[in-house]
């Protein structure tokens, strides 16, 4: 019995031990250099518009939820439910403090596992759990699981603890479903000793990028991922953001300034493969900055005069759609990968991203929806896939 107790103790201690794996060690997979297999793929585009009678602030995001489409209105907190042709089915919830109202609706994600919506208020850090009938089951404030004092956190940032991070608000698609029991959310840091703006090697080499929120216990219980070695070679805080998608077994990750797409085993938190080819007509001779002031002054120019990878969508049929901006004023680019091999690099409408699929049709929305003219979707039919 004594030996068994000792064995159990060793197992527990081992599971609690935090990894010190650096960025270079984490991203140790060799980039897949398989040549592109160009297929003749064309896109037929149909524009779907909402009805003029719909009362909305025209600011929010469209999300595909099984066979319907939901728009979360950021200012009013309404969840508009549409059919696949963008005909309104219902308008639910709204901002308020009543039982079936929301504290905010800045980000939304849907779980095919639990058949529920998860809606995040960025002002309060509160997540509402909404069932398939758009009834609020519960809401909770994300618990960062902080156990150290403020002085301890300031004096010694620890990359594996959430007390040195904040949620990466202000960017698209930060909230995802990780598994039945967890949500995933993008994180960053503005800690004076742990940030991407100055004295940053420690941050870029060790910082995590995604926090896992335990839905039962309502706190962050794990941090995963790393920033790639690219940021150690060149300090680019304005581009320190990423696109990511999650399926049953893997997490797909792509940083704004990097052509590589990483496939990560989401349970083991290890890189399984790395692949990707730079898009066409991209200006990527980014300018290094060494302070917050420098980066702040350059932000507009960095996003308007240079190009980035701005969207990622993973289909269940071994297809990955990766969007990027181009240096020309007419189009963006859309790459399609099959089994991690590039099969097409197409012109794509500027300012759009693929958000999902219903039946055999894919849907794309504006990346920034801020006015009535943005309140539409593109229905895409691909031939040759």
């Amino acid at each position: 019995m004594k030996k068994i107790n000792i064995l159990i103790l060793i197992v527990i201690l081992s599971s609690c031990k935090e990894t010190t794996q650096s960025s270079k060690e984490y991203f140790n997979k060799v980039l897949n250099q398989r040549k592109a297999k160009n297929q003749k793929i064309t896109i037929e585009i149909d524009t779907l518009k909402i009805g003029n009678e719909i009362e909305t602030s025209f600011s929010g995001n469209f999300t595909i939820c099984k066979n319907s489409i939901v728009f979360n209105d950021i200012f009013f907190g309404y969840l508009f439910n549409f059919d696949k042709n963008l005909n309104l089915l219902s308008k639910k919830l709204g901002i308020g403090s009543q039982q079936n109202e929301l504290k905010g609706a800045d980000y939304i994600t849907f779980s095919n596992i639990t058949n529920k919506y998860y809606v995040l208020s960025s002002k309060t850090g509160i997540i509402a759990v909404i069932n398939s009938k758009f009834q609020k089951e519960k809401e909770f404030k994300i618990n960062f699981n902080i156990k150290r004092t403020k002085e301890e956190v300031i004096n010694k940032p620890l990359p594996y603890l959430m007390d040195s991070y904040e949620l990466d608000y202000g960017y698209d698609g930060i909230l995802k479903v990780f598994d039945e029991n967890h949500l995933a959310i993008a994180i960053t840091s503005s800690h004076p000793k742990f940030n991407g703006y100055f004295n940053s090697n420690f941050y870029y080499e060790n910082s995590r990028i995604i926090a896992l929120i335990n839905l039962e216990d309502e706190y962050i219980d794990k941090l995963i991922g790393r920033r790639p070695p690219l940021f150690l070679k060149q300090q680019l805080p304005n581009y320190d953001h990423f696109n990511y998608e999650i399926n049953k077994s893997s997490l797909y990750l792509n940083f704004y300034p990097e052509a590589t797409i990483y496939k990560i085993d989401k349970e083991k938190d290890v890189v399984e493969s790395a692949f990707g080819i730079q898009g066409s007509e991209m200006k990527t001779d980014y300018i290094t900055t060494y302070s917050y002031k420098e980066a702040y002054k350059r932000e507009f120019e960095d996003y308007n005069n240079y190009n980035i990878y701005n969207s990622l969508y993973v289909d269940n049929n071994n297809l990955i759609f990766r969007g990027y901006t181009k240096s020309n004023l007419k189009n963006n680019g859309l790459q399609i990968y099959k089994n991690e091999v590039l099969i097409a690099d197409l012109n794509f409408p500027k300012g759009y991203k693929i958000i999902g699929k219903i039946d055999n049709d894919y849907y794309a929305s504006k990346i920034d929806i801020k006015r009535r003219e943005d309140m539409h979707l593109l229905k895409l039919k691909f031939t040759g896939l």
Side-chain angles (χ1 to χ4, degrees), residues 18 73 161 201 374:
E18 297 296 341
D73 188 306
L161 293 182
N201 278 2
D374 300 331

Side-chain angles (χ1 to χ4, degrees), residues 193-244:
K193 295 181 180 179
F194 188 61
N195 65 80
Y197 292 97
F198 53 89
N199 298 324
S200 302
N201 278 2
F202 179 55
Y203 170 80
Y204 286 123
E205 190 165 10
N206 297 283
S207 61
R208 277 51 167 178
I209 61 171
I210 293 170
L212 301 185
I213 306 168
N214 188 308
L215 287 168
E216 182 177 352
D217 297 325
E218 302 175 358
Y219 66 81
I220 292 172
D221 62 10
K222 190 176 182 181
L223 305 182
I224 63 172
R226 299 289 191 282
R227 287 168 170 81
L230 164 74
F231 290 106
L232 288 169
K233 297 175 184 176
Q234 187 177 11
Q235 189 167 293
L236 301 168
N238 285 342
Y239 301 120
D240 179 22
H241 304 287
F242 56 91
N243 313 293
Y244 74 111

